Amino acid sequence: MTPEPDAARSVLSLSPELLEAVHRVAGTEQLLVAMDFDGTMAPLVDHAADSRALPRSAAAFAALAELPRTTTALISGRALASLREVASPPEKTLLIGSHGAEVWMGPGSTELQLDDAQRELLADVRRILAEIVDVAPGTLLEDKPAGVVLHTRLAADDVAEDAVAAAKAALQDRAGVFLKTGNRVLETAVVHASKGEGISFLRQATGATAVVFAGDDTTDEDALGSLIRGDLGVKVGLDFTQAEFRVEAPVHVSELLEALLRERTKAVGA
């Protein structure tokens, strides 16, 4: 017999230890709930423009944004424009894009501005990567305000490895160019930034007394590594992590956010 939707939904896969940590962090005075998007709130997809948060994750996240003494934020490798398009974030949600290079703290936030030398360097980086893409079938480029991303998800494994190796050989010793390797992507940037710096900035800006962060990629380890005692860090997936807790897939992030919403709602008396 097929279970009713509500019955199936009520079966949580979160460990008792993780649920206890959710209960603990939900009682903090000022909570910051900062989430990665792709691979965390949204399943990974072949085409970046097709990414969307799972409905349960989106609903719980939006409800958290409305609670007293609770701030929500998205911290993504995406450019802010791309993040807004796919995530449709709640109005009150703060946004960190391009791995921390772009910041939106509400109306009036200033946009990222490159100086002449950075713009010239970025154009040179793009030219080098475009030459690699021309001879590597299945790879493509994504432009960001402070960088260019080499995507290899649609390429054969050997082609992807050769393309990334060629890009690293050409750029890793280039002054002013910063590289990050992610899930079938190589991120290049002419501004140094990290998700860990993004977490630290948001913690200070919001006066958070505890932070919840979940992420799936190697670039999310910067954020997970920046967490302090009393915070809650969750790795999504089976890769190596320094996070204390782990869930297997974005569907379990939905359960995490719903559990956090229940506990935080009780804690703030909403």
Side-chain angles (χ1 to χ4, degrees), residues 194-210:
S194 73
K195 291 186 178 182
E197 292 169 335
I199 287 283
S200 298
F201 171 78
L202 288 174
R203 185 194 303 275
Q204 182 175 6
T206 63
T209 52

Side-chain angles (χ1 to χ4, degrees), residues 192-232:
H192 183 269
S194 73
K195 291 186 178 182
E197 292 169 335
I199 287 283
S200 298
F201 171 78
L202 288 174
R203 185 194 303 275
Q204 182 175 6
T206 63
T209 52
V211 176
V212 175
F213 177 80
D216 74 302
D217 211 342
T218 53
T219 56
D220 294 311
E221 291 298 314
D222 290 332
L224 290 166
S226 75
L227 300 181
I228 61 177
R229 184 178 180 85
D231 292 342
L232 173 57

Side-chain angles (χ1 to χ4, degrees), residues 39-40 54 235-238 246-254:
T40 300
L54 293 175
K235 176 74 169 187
V236 184
L238 303 178
R246 182 192 300 274
V247 297
E248 290 185 16
V251 66
H252 305 125
V253 175
S254 298

Side-chain angles (χ1 to χ4, degrees), residues 1-5:
M1 178 178 178
T2 302
E4 293 297 321

Side-chain angles (χ1 to χ4, degrees), residues 9 14 19 22-23 25-27 31 33 55-68 70 72 212 232 253-270:
R9 178 173 170 159
L14 307 184
L19 288 173
V22 168
H23 172 74
V25 78
L31 179 64
V33 182
R56 287 171 58 193
S57 288
F61 191 70
L64 281 163
E66 296 299 323
L67 292 181
T70 306
T72 56
V212 175
L232 173 57
V253 175
S254 298
E255 298 170 356
L256 173 67
L257 288 170
E258 288 171 346
L260 182 59
L261 175 61
R262 287 193 301 270
E263 294 296 328
R264 186 60 174 169
T265 299
K266 289 186 289 186
V268 299

